[in-house]
Amino acid sequence: MIRADFPNRDGDLVQHPGSIQPHGAMLVCETESATIAFASANAADRLGIAAEQLLGHALVEILGEDNTHDLRNALTKSGASSAGAALSGVRLAGSTTEFDVVAHRHQERLIVEFEPAHPRQDGDAALDATQTLIRRSGLETDVAGIAATGARLVRATFSYDRVMIYRFLPDDVGQVIAESSRPDMRSFLNQRFPATDIPVQLRRAYVQNGILVVADSSYEAVPLLAAPGARATPPDLSYSHLRSVSPAHCEYLRNRGVAASLSIAIIVDGRLWGLIACQHDSSRTVPLPLRTAAEMFGQYFSLQITAAERGAELRHSELLEAQRSLAEQRHRIRNDELNHRVKNILALVKSIASQTGTHTASVAEYSASLAGRLRALSYAHDHSLALDSRGDLLALLDAEASLYRDGLSQERVLVNGPRVGFTEAGFGAFALVIHEMMTNAAKYGALSTPDGQLSIDWLLNADGDCEIEWSESGGPTVAVPTRKGFGSTLIGSTVTYDLGGTVDLQYLPAGLQARFIIPARHVVPIDSVATALPAVAAAVRPLHERSVLLVEDRALIALDTEDVLYQLGAAKVVSCPGVAAAREVLARQLPDVVVLDFNLGNETSAELADWLADRGIPFAFLTGYADTATIPARFAAVPAIHKPVDMDNASQVLVALLPAKRPA
């Protein structure tokens, strides 16, 4: 008889420890001859037969004919599985002591493990425990619920001080995702532990053998003794319940105050997903029936986790598919809506251009009328979108009225009423109506004389309709028109046809009186009021004798903007298509003011704006957006001229930017 001294290569302490834990005994037989080749050194204490009396003898001599027959049948039923077979209440030949026996075949060896038998009621308790564990945990459907319930049930069933559900993350770091423990114990819930806490060799062993028991972390390992002439290849104990664990693992447990542990593998798709880690502060041996129950529950728990993750993946896939379909649907709707809007705007512009030309006497009058109507259309479009499809009536009226107010006559146009918003369709239509009314008042009515006054009042009636009263006074004597122009036609058809409302125009000698009713379906509450630009006198030319640098990458827009700037009194306007060209101009001579298009093709004018700000050169942005959301916050105080550029808007911005020079 010799001690089996096996080499300690990497992984050997897991697969080939050469020893077992002392709460049981082990015999290792050559499969062909069923001759005992290895026996644990504690055979005399545990089995009542010294190891030297076992080695080299046939197993049947120790177990007896009946037990050997039963063991062979059990192994046959287990098939080729290394999980093996179990017998309870086994008595060795000539002995009255009963053992629980577990045997399995592996690498042409038969490994037989002996532990003291436990009362038969332990088997009944194990069956009840298994049924309870499966039934109660089966009520959960997500990983978190399964883990939390599993931890509580395992602790209640196996009476360990602490039970943790330990999950391996993609980087092999372990995280405690559920825990049940004694109230006086420190919690490890949600804590993470390095991958080195459970080495790679041990993880592989868990995949092979789904359970690992350490009955006493301070145990002294019992060596396996080899018979003379036994094969030199050490027994692989990967599937053994009694196998000894590495001294480093036992030291790790002791350092954490753990005296006994039971670890149950959670296997998902053939990989180690996590562990059910049971810990106790005193030594503890788990009887074979309960250990079998733990193995069965571990397999069921693994299936539950697999199903939960599959369900989560399916729900995630379904959600992504639903989101993708919804995004595609929204994209189609947006495209359809954009197409619809563009066609409507083009039709409206065509109609406005055609009808304006029919009712004007000169090119100058045509240009002014068309520009004003297009500006009203642009304003309505911007504000109906900027306020989340709710155009503010007060902001609209203030913007139109500001063209006819000046510092000495702020009360020339009076507006009064509650905060009222219109839907996008309602606001866009009514903006054209207000523009036509203001234009007519400026050309023929109260706003055509210095002493004239316009009053606009509105309220919401009991039905939710918006009633608007328009009253002119102090202007020329009014006569009923002999012909109906496009403006009057636009006002009447827009209110009655587009909005489904009513309009009543009274041409009284003292001044035009009008009453509009906009149906409630176009009226929405509004919480914010747009801030109107400062009032500007029509005669002011803010760019009188000033030089202007215009940075705009679109040639036609640059030409139109130049015309407006010259009309506002500019002595010289230099246009540049980009930042580089603008820098060349600035290097030669500094202008009095700069107008910058912020978005210049593939670049922005932000860098140039910073340069101007550092040198105190006044500048304004030129933008086609309804607001300045696309412009960096550091330029929040910089005013913006909106496209399409018109005299009124540009004049308001430039007056606010710099004092006007009036001709001598």
Side-chain angles (χ1 to χ4, degrees), residues 13-14 21 196-199 202 206 212-214 217 219 244-256 258 260-263 275 279:
L13 291 181
V14 175
Q21 298 181 52
T196 53
D197 277 9
I198 302 180
L202 187 55
Y206 275 123
L212 174 63
V213 177
V214 176
S217 60
Y219 76 88
S244 188
V245 298
S246 73
H249 183 66
C250 287
E251 182 180 5
Y252 171 79
L253 293 176
R254 292 194 300 271
N255 289 341
R256 294 183 59 180
V258 177
S261 69
L262 167 65
S263 301
L275 294 171
Q279 297 177 348

Side-chain angles (χ1 to χ4, degrees), residues 126-206:
L127 179 59
D128 290 341
T130 304
Q131 292 174 336
T132 300
L133 288 169
I134 292 175
R135 183 174 61 251
R136 295 283 297 277
S137 63
L139 300 176
E140 303 294 339
T141 57
D142 62 277
V143 171
I146 293 169
T149 300
R152 291 194 301 271
L153 290 173
V154 170
R155 180 166 176 259
T157 302
F158 298 102
S159 301
Y160 276 84
D161 291 330
R162 185 200 306 274
V163 174
M164 298 176 290
I165 307 300
Y166 191 85
R167 180 176 187 174
F168 294 114
L169 303 180
D171 58 358
D172 288 337
V173 168
Q175 181 177 20
V176 179
I177 64 171
E179 181 185 41
S180 177
S181 63
R182 286 198 334 246
D184 61 316
M185 299 183 78
R186 172 193 171 193
S187 175
F188 294 126
L189 184 62
N190 295 324
Q191 290 194 21
R192 296 188 177 189
F193 299 90
T196 53
D197 277 9
I198 302 180
V200 174
Q201 303 97 317
L202 187 55
R203 295 182 193 222
R204 285 200 296 263
Y206 275 123

Side-chain angles (χ1 to χ4, degrees), residues 274-323:
L275 294 171
I276 303 175
C278 309
Q279 297 177 348
H280 209 62
D281 64 2
S282 60
S283 60
R284 182 176 184 78
T285 302
V286 182
L288 176 60
L290 280 179
R291 209 161 60 231
T292 303
E295 284 188 276
M296 292 179 62
F297 178 70
Q299 295 169 4
Y300 177 77
F301 192 88
S302 298
L303 292 175
Q304 268 195 302
I305 293 292
T306 302
E309 290 200 331
R310 292 288 187 276
E313 291 171 1
L314 179 60
R315 287 190 296 272
H316 181 65
S317 298
E318 290 174 345
L319 179 60
L320 290 179
E321 178 62 25
Q323 290 175 338

Side-chain angles (χ1 to χ4, degrees), residues 43-76:
D45 294 333
R46 292 297 178 185
L47 303 180
I49 307 174
E52 59 268 21
Q53 295 179 295
L54 296 171
L55 295 173
H57 290 267
L59 181 63
V60 67
E61 297 178 29
I62 309 302
L63 291 182
E65 291 286 349
D66 292 340
N67 288 330
T68 303
H69 177 268
D70 292 341
L71 184 61
R72 286 174 177 167
N73 285 341
L75 287 168
T76 301

Side-chain angles (χ1 to χ4, degrees), residues 78-103:
S78 69
S81 171
S82 297
L87 297 177
S88 60
V90 174
R91 294 180 181 178
L92 302 184
S95 173
T96 59
T97 304
E98 292 189 346
F99 296 92
D100 288 334
V101 178
V102 178

Side-chain angles (χ1 to χ4, degrees), residues 296-361:
M296 292 179 62
F297 178 70
Q299 295 169 4
Y300 177 77
F301 192 88
S302 298
L303 292 175
Q304 268 195 302
I305 293 292
T306 302
E309 290 200 331
R310 292 288 187 276
E313 291 171 1
L314 179 60
R315 287 190 296 272
H316 181 65
S317 298
E318 290 174 345
L319 179 60
L320 290 179
E321 178 62 25
Q323 290 175 338
R324 186 185 64 79
S325 299
L326 181 60
E328 290 179 353
Q329 182 181 8
R330 286 175 176 170
H331 182 67
R332 287 195 299 269
I333 292 173
R334 283 196 297 267
N335 284 346
D336 291 344
E337 182 180 359
L338 178 61
N339 186 45
H340 173 73
R341 286 187 182 185
V342 169
K343 287 182 177 178
N344 283 349
I345 289 173
L346 289 175
L348 183 57
V349 170
K350 178 182 178 182
S351 175
I352 289 174
S354 175
Q355 293 298 325
T356 300
T358 303
H359 297 89
T360 53

